[in-house]
Amino acid sequence: KLKVKKAPKYNRSNKFLKFISWIKYTFYALLFIFSLKNDDIVLISSNPPILGFCSYPILRIKKIKYFILIYDIYPEVLISEKIFSPNNLFVKLWFKVNKILYKNSELLLTIGESMLKNIKNQFKLNNINFLKPYVDTKSIRPLSYKENIFASEYIDKEDFVVMYSGNMGYSHDIKTVLKAARLLKTNLKICFLFIGHGPGFSEVKEF
């Protein structure tokens, strides 16, 4: 029987509220893990990133098997955003905990091949695989220019479209796409299209 539990709302309007959301969700998840039996299996998501190392001691004590699905690589994201230095003691500890967490998981799953290679080489892992993101290709499929109401209204038929579609979070490199748009701004036949939301959306609006 499938049971769905309502989790605390995720607020990512700024970095502070995002961190508070991480804490709320992790606390909620830990209470749930406490209620599990040792023959249960847990799938841990890398978001929020503090969930893995906070839940690990409980999972080991209760001898519960777990899998990890990695969407973003932490603490590398925080280093790239210059929130922490690579030499920060907390970051070094995080890397060590990740090594223990990953090696003791039943399986690590990543959503990108480059991410898989990065983690596999960094932590010398064999229990890691690549999970291709999927969609229902019957309902989500390419449309002709005539069928596509948005394209026919906003984009010239002869334009070459560079599209970014998805979350515009702190871990997503929106700046590089915007730099490319700035370099190609004189070419009026190249259209940059951004679809999504998140903290990076303000950079796109101000561009």
Side-chain angles (χ1 to χ4, degrees):
K1 186 179 178 181
L2 178 66
K3 292 182 180 179
V4 179
K5 293 182 177 286
K6 190 175 181 182
K9 188 177 179 182
Y10 185 32
N11 188 335
R12 56 186 179 190
S13 54
N14 60 55
K15 291 180 182 179
F16 176 74
L17 292 176
K18 186 177 182 179
F19 183 66
I20 295 299
S21 293
W22 287 358
I23 294 172
K24 284 182 179 178
Y25 181 85
T26 300
F27 180 73
Y28 178 87
L30 293 179
L31 291 177
F32 178 75
I33 293 171
F34 265 118
S35 69
L36 299 178
K37 298 175 183 177
N38 61 5
D39 58 348
D40 288 321
I41 297 174
V42 175
L43 174 64
I44 300 173
S45 167
S46 63
N47 296 330
I50 60 174
L51 178 59
F53 62 77
C54 287
S55 60
Y56 179 73
I58 305 168
L59 294 168
R60 292 298 288 174
I61 291 168
K62 294 177 75 71
K63 296 180 180 178
I64 295 172
K65 293 180 179 179
Y66 63 92
F67 295 75
I68 303 176
L69 176 57
I70 301 175
Y71 290 105
D72 298 307
I73 306 175
Y74 283 88
E76 285 90 334
V77 170
L78 301 177
I79 294 169
S80 66
E81 285 293 315
K82 297 181 180 178
I83 296 172
F84 288 116
S85 159
N87 298 317
N88 184 283
L89 289 176
F90 177 66
V91 168
K92 288 181 178 180
L93 176 63
W94 198 330
F95 276 118
K96 287 183 179 180
V97 173
N98 277 352
K99 186 175 182 178
I100 297 168
L101 185 68
Y102 293 168
K103 282 186 177 294
N104 287 287
S105 68
E106 296 297 305
L107 182 67
L108 283 174
L109 294 168
T110 73
I111 58 169
E113 292 185 79
S114 58
M115 191 185 295
L116 182 147
K117 289 176 185 176
N118 184 324
I119 297 170
K120 190 173 185 177
N121 293 335
Q122 185 177 356
F123 295 100
K124 313 299 179 191
L125 300 171
N126 294 315
N127 59 332
I128 185 167
N129 214 329
F130 168 49
L131 180 68
K132 291 183 179 179
Y134 66 93
V135 296
D136 181 354
T137 52
K138 290 181 180 179
S139 59
I140 301 176
R141 58 185 175 80
L143 297 174
S144 67
Y145 187 78
K146 282 185 178 180
E147 289 179 287
N148 193 323
I149 298 170
F150 180 88
S152 57
E153 185 174 349
Y154 294 102
I155 301 168
D156 190 89
K157 191 177 181 180
E158 303 302 319
D159 283 355
F160 179 85
V161 179
V162 179
M163 183 173 74
Y164 178 97
S165 179
N167 187 25
M168 299 182 189
Y170 295 111
S171 60
H172 303 96
D173 191 5
I174 305 295
K175 291 184 177 71
T176 298
V177 187
L178 293 175
K179 283 179 184 177
R182 185 173 284 108
L183 289 170
L184 297 166
K185 67 180 180 180
T186 56
N187 190 329
L188 302 180
K189 286 298 178 182
I190 299 178
C191 172
F192 280 78
L193 178 62
F194 292 84
I195 302 172
H197 211 272
F201 184 66
S202 58
E203 291 186 56
V204 176
K205 283 183 72 176
E206 292 167 7
F207 181 73

